């Protein structure tokens, strides 16, 4: 079985702060990590490798520094790593990103493609399904479990109020939730070894794409402007006894006609 | 492509188990604004099985037209079947804008369609507007949180049509229903390319949480780490009962298994806009604030006077929720009795 896992390097958004004067993101000192849902996807692939025997390839699109998460994937147990890196990919929105990934995957052999549900820097959840469409493959999103049954895949999908069990025929794209696949740690031997292994660097020439559909040029959406969120002025703050606090709350709720 | 050939604001009217979802009505409210701003029509797309009889409800809530596809294949949401039908509706009708709910259905369907239509899609928008450019032409602007809610980004889709966005439930306001409002209801008979259908639904289990949808509540009493445990949430429940509201939770208490995921407020949970939000023992990570800061009136109770939740609270109480919440419930009970 051949499994491809799409991963992304993201800034740890829980560590991001806004510069209160300039109103811009302070990226300095913010660690870059493997996106949590993608790490869950890699965990699912590695579990399937243990259970059924599989070759697990990780692929990412990004700047040369994204090499780091591919080494991390090696240390967790991935067999092969590909870094799609080229200036022509820069400025891509979800459509152009998914198109480039699909262009790379189209040149490879696979039985299953796994991606994280969404990345914590964009939270769009669009790249997985868009990539599936470019490849003409079925997709199941919000996946919490997957197992083989004969030549079919039995997949559990989570929604707001239910859990569905679906049967998928042939190769497909699954997008998974990190919470369902707590990821293993890197092994010490794996870490030592990871730095000696080869990360394949692929440019736009190496993959099957129409270059006009890559990067900024191939992106239908553009950022018109970005700005820090306007926080409303904080209200009144009170510190005193519990009894006084209760009286104050009741008075305010009456004033506002809430009670 | 000439963008002048593309007109009207379309809404994917999501249904589950034959029930049109509240987010569909919320989207119609916003679609009405957008359509009125550019002199276009609001058209709802309703897919399901045995659903035709409900099409008029979409008209009462702001649609000028409803296109209904009603057949057994569409009873439950499945990616490929729904994509084929909505794709055909879009190609035949050339809408300018298409809106979807940012639910597990909308966020699965809309990107699939975006790639099939080769157009742009903006996820989880919190603001949609038709703006006038300097040259007098109109532009659709979609604003959404990015970087975990640390930054807002306004996105445009200048050269591709339709322009598409998903909007989280609870963000837009629905209109007051107008019984007897006139609108056209059109039937669409789908044809499926069955060779492309590779996914079969075997089973659906309902999650047995039994709680009502928190995004519909007028009052929410919400708990975070400071509530500690189930017993702590019982205190919050008493207060919620007195106020006729419901209990919700921060992510921390869902991750630790104390509260069900359906009750979670925030970036990875639900967006809520109750009239009153009482935040108890919630420190207020930006991801949580993103889900509740538009509430009508926010009361925060927290021991730490520097907790970020106080930056959005209308009334901040520095103190012990375990003392204040039960006292407040008692006091309000008396107040209500009078």
């Amino acid at each position: 079985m051949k499994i491809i896992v799409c991963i992304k390097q993201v800034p740890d958004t829980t560590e991001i702060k806004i510069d209160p004067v300039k109103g811009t993101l302070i990226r300095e000192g913010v660690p870059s990590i493997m996106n949590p849902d993608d790490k869950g996807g890699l965990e699912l692939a590695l579990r399937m490798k243990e259970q059924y025997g599989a070759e697990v390839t990780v692929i990412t699109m990004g700047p040369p520094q994204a090499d780091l998460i591919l080494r991390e994937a090696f240390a967790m147990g991935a067999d092969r790593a590909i870094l799609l890196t080229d200036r022509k990919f820069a400025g891509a929105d979800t459509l152009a990103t998914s198109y480039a990934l699909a262009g790379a995957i189209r040149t490879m052999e696979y039985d299953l493609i796994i991606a994280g549900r969404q990345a914590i820097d964009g939270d769009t959840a669009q790249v997985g399904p868009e990539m599936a469409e470019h490849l003409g493959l079925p997709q199941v999103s919000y996946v919490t479990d997957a197992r083989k049954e004969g030549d079919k895949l039995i997949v559990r999908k989570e929604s707001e109020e239910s859990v569905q069990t679906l049967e998928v025929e042939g190769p497909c794209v699954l997008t998974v939730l990190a919470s369902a696949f707590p990821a293993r740690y890197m092994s010490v031997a794996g870490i030592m070894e990871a730095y000696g292994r080869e990360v394949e660097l692929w440019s736009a020439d190496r993959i099957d794409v129409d270059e006009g559909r890559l990067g900024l040029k191939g992106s239908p959406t553009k950022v018109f402007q970005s700005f820090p969120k306007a926080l409303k002025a904080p209200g009144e703050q009170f510190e005193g006894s519990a009894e006084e606090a209760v009286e104050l709350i009741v008075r305010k709720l009456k004033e506002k006609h809430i009670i | 492509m000439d963008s002048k050939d593309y007109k009207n604001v379309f809404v994917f009217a999501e249904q589950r188990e034959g029930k049109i979802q509240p987010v569909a009505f919320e989207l119609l409210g916003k679609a009405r604004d957008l359509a009125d701003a550019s002199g276009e029509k609001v058209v709802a797309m309703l897919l399901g099985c045995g659903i035709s009889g409900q099409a008029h409800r979409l008209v009462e809530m702001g649609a000028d037209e409803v296109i209904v596809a009603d057949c057994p294949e569409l009873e439950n949401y499945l990616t490929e079947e729904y994509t084929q039908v909505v794709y055909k509706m879009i190609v035949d009708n050339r809408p300018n804008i298409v809106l979807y709910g940012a639910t597990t259905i909308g966020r699965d369907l809309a990107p699939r369609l975006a790639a099939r239509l080769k157009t742009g899609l903006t996820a989880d928008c919190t603001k949609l507007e038709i703006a006038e450019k300097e040259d007098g032409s109109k532009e659709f602007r979609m604003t959404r949180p990015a970087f975990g809610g640390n930054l807002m980004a306004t996105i445009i889709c200048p050269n591709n049509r339709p322009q598409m966005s998903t909007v989280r439930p609870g963000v837009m306001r629905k209109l007051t229903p107008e019984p007897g409002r006139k609108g056209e209801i059109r039937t669409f008979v789908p044809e499926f390319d069955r060779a492309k259908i590779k996914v079969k639904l075997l089973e659906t289990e309902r999650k047995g949480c039994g709680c009502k949808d928190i995004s519909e509540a007028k009052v929410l009493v919400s708990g975070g780490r400071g509530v500690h445990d189930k017993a702590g949430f019982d205190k919050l429940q008493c207060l919620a009962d007195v106020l006729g509201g419901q209990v919700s939770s921060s992510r921390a208490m869902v991750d630790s298994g104390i509260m069900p995921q359906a009750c979670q407020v925030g970036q990875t949970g639900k967006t809520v806009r109750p009239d009153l939000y009482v935040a108890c023992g919630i420190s207020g990570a930006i991801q949580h604030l993103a889900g509740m800061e538009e509430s009508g009136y926010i009361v925060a109770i927290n021991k730490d006077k520097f907790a970020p939740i106080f930056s959005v609270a209308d009334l901040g109480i520095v103190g012990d929720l375990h003392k204040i919440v039960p006292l407040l419930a008692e006091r309000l009970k008396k107040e209500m009795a009078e």
Side-chain angles (χ1 to χ4, degrees):
Chain A
M1 192 179 188
K2 288 186 191 300
I3 306 176
I4 298 174
V5 185
C6 302
I7 63 178
K8 183 183 185 187
Q9 188 178 47
V10 293
D12 186 347
T13 54
T14 55
E15 302 285 324
I16 287 183
K17 302 273 181 298
I18 300 280
D19 183 325
V21 181
K22 284 184 261 171
T24 50
L25 286 180
I26 306 172
R27 288 202 191 221
E28 231 164 82
V30 177
S32 284
I33 56 171
M34 190 190 304
N35 179 53
D37 280 339
D38 303 353
K39 206 172 192 174
L42 177 55
E43 176 61 30
L44 169 60
L46 295 172
R47 287 183 196 180
M48 293 180 97
K49 175 181 168 176
E50 285 155 1
Q51 212 173 345
Y52 311 113
E55 185 198 61
V56 175
T57 301
V58 285
I59 182 167
T60 191
M61 182 173 115
Q65 307 87 280
D67 179 81
L68 201 63
I69 57 163
L70 296 171
R71 306 273 169 204
E72 185 181 352
F74 271 143
M76 285 173 66
D79 301 295
R80 186 183 171 200
I82 297 164
L83 172 56
L84 287 180
T85 192
D86 196 317
R87 286 185 181 281
K88 290 173 186 154
F89 299 137
D93 70 356
T94 63
L95 192 73
T97 300
S98 59
Y99 179 71
L101 285 168
I105 290 172
R106 211 176 283 121
T107 68
M108 302 162 70
E109 282 176 37
Y110 56 81
D111 301 291
L112 175 62
I113 301 165
I114 304 176
R117 162 194 51 174
Q118 65 192 45
I120 56 171
D121 54 349
D123 287 312
T124 72
Q126 288 171 191
V127 171
E130 288 180 338
M131 181 179 71
E133 174 65 22
H134 295 307
L135 291 167
L137 296 176
Q139 84 202 30
V140 182
S141 49
Y142 299 92
V143 168
T144 57
D145 189 31
R147 61 187 163 84
K148 276 177 71 159
E149 207 174 274
D151 55 355
K152 302 214 167 88
L153 212 56
I154 306 296
V155 180
R156 280 167 72 83
K157 169 182 178 148
E158 186 115 343
S159 78
E160 287 83 353
E161 72 296 309
S162 67
V163 179
Q164 291 182 328
T165 308
L166 300 153
E167 182 191 86
V168 191
E169 204 188 305
C172 64
V173 175
L174 305 181
T175 76
V176 311
L177 305 185
S179 57
F181 305 99
R184 66 195 59 200
Y185 292 105
M186 298 181 274
S187 71
V188 176
I191 296 171
M192 305 289 284
E193 213 198 18
Y195 284 87
R197 306 215 9 213
E198 190 208 349
V199 166
E200 297 170 43
L201 297 179
W202 288 13
S203 63
D205 302 335
R206 166 67 182 73
I207 65 176
D208 177 15
V209 284
D210 163 3
E211 287 197 2
R213 293 178 65 189
L214 293 175
L216 195 61
K217 213 170 17 162
S219 298
T221 62
K222 318 275 174 210
V223 178
F224 172 71
Q225 59 176 356
S226 66
F227 51 93
K229 194 143 149 186
L231 285 179
K232 64 177 192 184
E236 174 181 348
Q237 200 175 49
F238 173 83
E239 204 170 347
S241 74
E243 288 74 14
E244 287 167 330
V246 165
E247 288 313 313
L248 176 62
I249 296 170
V250 172
R251 199 177 74 227
K252 288 284 176 186
L253 295 186
K254 277 185 181 166
E255 271 174 31
K256 301 284 167 192
H257 304 288
I258 295 168
I259 56 169
Chain B
M1 192 212 66
D2 188 347
S3 59
K4 286 184 199 66
D5 296 341
Y6 291 75
K7 272 199 174 56
N8 302 325
V9 183
F10 275 45
V11 169
F12 172 71
E14 179 178 321
Q15 59 83 21
R16 297 180 186 214
E17 295 177 0
K19 188 171 176 283
I20 298 175
Q21 297 297 294
V23 69
F25 301 124
E26 294 162 16
L27 293 177
L28 286 175
K30 180 38 76 174
R32 193 68 266 161
D33 276 359
L34 299 173
D36 291 345
S38 43
E40 296 183 348
K41 282 191 296 192
V42 174
V43 181
M45 299 180 281
L46 180 62
L47 283 66
C49 178
I51 198 82
S52 308
Q54 295 184 51
H56 70 277
R57 294 184 58 210
L58 297 166
V59 174
E60 289 171 5
M61 297 300 283
D64 299 307
E65 259 178 52
V66 185
I67 309 177
V68 191
D70 193 329
C71 66
E73 289 89 340
L74 299 174
E75 181 178 1
N76 296 298
Y77 173 75
L78 283 162
T79 310
E80 184 57 31
E81 284 87 335
Y82 270 62
T83 303
Q84 287 186 15
V85 173
V86 177
Y87 176 79
K88 191 78 187 1
M89 287 178 178
I90 290 175
V91 168
D92 288 353
N93 293 282
R94 299 185 172 212
N96 181 22
I97 293 171
V98 187
L99 308 180
Y100 308 81
T103 62
T104 55
I105 291 178
R107 295 172 105 225
D108 185 83
L109 173 68
R112 191 88 203 185
L113 282 161
R116 201 165 289 189
L117 293 157
K118 299 188 179 65
T119 192
L121 173 64
T122 307
D124 291 358
C125 298
T126 52
K127 186 179 171 195
L128 299 172
E129 61 181 333
I130 302 282
E132 196 152 310
K133 293 205 295 186
E134 277 172 14
D135 64 5
S137 64
K138 291 191 160 104
E139 183 169 69
F140 182 44
R141 292 184 187 158
M142 305 166 266
T143 300
R144 69 179 306 262
F147 290 101
N150 290 285
L151 199 69
M152 302 301 288
T154 301
I155 309 291
I156 51 174
C157 179
N159 304 316
N160 298 62
R161 294 291 179 273
Q163 309 170 85
M164 310 212 295
S165 23
T166 68
V167 179
R168 296 180 62 142
V171 171
M172 300 300 173
R173 299 262 181 226
K174 54 184 142 197
L175 302 170
T176 314
E178 211 180 298
R181 188 169 175 274
K182 290 272 176 290
E184 187 189 349
I185 293 169
R186 285 154 51 191
T187 305
F188 177 92
V189 182
E191 280 169 33
F192 294 97
D193 176 359
R194 291 185 200 272
K196 289 182 91 173
I197 295 172
K198 306 277 189 192
V199 180
K200 202 162 87 184
L201 176 62
L202 301 180
E203 198 191 0
T204 305
E205 298 155 56
R206 288 191 69 87
K207 289 185 201 164
C209 123
C211 45
K212 284 187 281 177
D213 185 0
I214 56 166
S215 50
E216 297 279 287
K218 292 265 181 248
V219 174
L220 282 175
V221 181
S222 203
R225 248 182 254 276
V227 178
H228 303 313
D229 48 25
K230 194 84 200 69
F233 272 99
D234 291 342
K235 294 175 195 159
L236 268 52
Q237 186 66 55
C238 288
L239 177 57
D241 289 343
V242 177
L243 288 163
Q246 285 173 242
V247 170
S248 57
S249 161
S250 74
R251 178 173 181 168
M253 301 313 269
V254 171
D255 285 350
S256 59
I258 293 166
M259 292 296 283
Q261 218 263 320
C263 297
Q264 185 189 326
V265 172
Q267 188 85 9
T268 50
K270 289 187 168 143
T271 303
V272 297
R273 287 186 171 185
D275 298 335
L276 172 64
Y277 189 89
V278 186
C280 308
I282 294 175
S283 64
I286 193 141
Q287 286 84 353
H288 184 81
L289 303 185
M292 47 66 74
E293 66 194 333
E294 303 285 328
S295 303
Y297 192 73
I298 299 170
V299 178
I301 307 171
N302 204 299
K303 273 183 167 170
D304 171 13
K305 68 175 185 187
F306 299 109
I309 189 78
F310 288 128
S311 69
V312 299
D314 298 288
L315 177 60
I317 305 289
V318 182
D320 180 3
L321 74 97
H322 295 277
K323 285 190 195 141
I324 295 168
V325 168
L327 266 178
L328 181 60
E330 278 309 307
R331 176 75 171 73
L332 285 171
K333 212 180 279 176
K334 274 187 215 149
E335 195 72 33
M336 304 289 193
E338 273 163 24

